[in-house]
Amino acid sequence: MLQLKKTLLGGIAPVLLSIALAGPVIASDAHHAHGKDHDFGRFTKDNLLLTPKDYREWIFVGAPVTPNDMNDGKAAFPEFHNVYIDPTSWNHWKKTGEFRDGTVIVKELVGVGTKEAASGHGYFPGEYNGIAAMVKDSKRYADRPGNWAFFGFESYEAKHGAIQADDACAACHKENAAHDMVFTQYYPVLRAAKPGKK
Ligand code: HEC
């Protein structure tokens, strides 16, 4: 009897776990099944971006790195910057070559781990350090440069991001980025997918 109980539990627990894990996946599949593009950004009542959770399943557009040892030890973001765009806005980009209202771009920070690998000397990703993000929305952020809001996040566990002052983020992006405040000059993935770029 005890043996049976054990087996039952052993059999049921993984099933329950897989139902729990499969839940959200089924929901988003249903979304796609309707062929309806949806916004990936979720917001508080005050238009603060809720911490994105599933961005590693979005479109990966590039990974610039600004290591401390090439910046007098003072790089603003001394990590790899893994950049992702949400799938709906990626589809729109491929059609129009523009960033739509609702675009969410996440910059995930990954520290430089080692500088030696079997392949040679270099910079190799270490551990995750957190994220930053930018969101374009002409209604939510009507008064922001280019209608982009820039977010910092205290941690992955933070419920939502904090909007950064224009001079902390937006000013540099406006001044230097190649396309609509996004640094497309460093993302061949975006450039190659832009229509009319054959
Ligand atoms: C002095 C200029 C400068 C400032 C200030 C700056 N950025 Fe950036 N940002 C860049 C550059 C250059 C890139 C692309 C290359 C890289 O990642 O190093 C970038 C990339 C990004 C990306 C990926 C999308 C893109 O446009 O390439 C996000 C998201 C981002 N920054 C958010 C922020 C946030 C949030 C702040 C404020 C806390 C900020 N940035 C401040 C220069 C800046």
Side-chain angles (χ1 to χ4, degrees), residues 64 81 105 107 134 150-151 168-169 172-173 181-183 187:
H81 314 151
I105 297 178
K107 171 169 80 168
M134 54 194 287
F150 287 76
F151 290 93
C169 312
C172 177
H173 277 244
M181 295 179 66
V182 180
F183 284 91
Y187 308 123

Side-chain angles (χ1 to χ4, degrees), residues 74-137:
K74 290 183 282 219
F77 293 100
E79 303 95 347
F80 286 89
H81 314 151
N82 291 344
V83 178
Y84 294 85
I85 186 170
D86 73 87
T88 299
S89 303
W90 162 251
N91 286 336
H92 186 86
W93 170 266
K94 286 190 294 181
K95 275 189 225 127
T96 66
E98 298 297 339
F99 296 112
R100 64 187 273 276
D101 254 19
T103 300
V104 184
I105 297 178
V106 169
K107 171 169 80 168
E108 176 180 65
L109 308 171
V110 187
V112 173
T114 180
K115 294 180 198 162
E116 297 280 346
S119 49
H121 306 293
Y123 294 100
F124 299 91
E127 300 302 326
Y128 292 122
N129 276 352
I131 57 170
M134 54 194 287
V135 180
K136 184 178 167 104
D137 194 313

Side-chain angles (χ1 to χ4, degrees), residues 151-185:
F151 290 93
F153 295 82
E154 275 185 7
S155 72
Y156 286 115
E157 286 72 41
K159 194 164 181 300
H160 55 75
I163 293 200
Q164 307 293 301
D166 290 347
D167 58 356
C169 312
C172 177
H173 277 244
K174 198 169 173 52
E175 176 84 17
N176 300 300
H179 188 100
D180 191 9
M181 295 179 66
V182 180
F183 284 91
T184 53
Q185 63 263 51

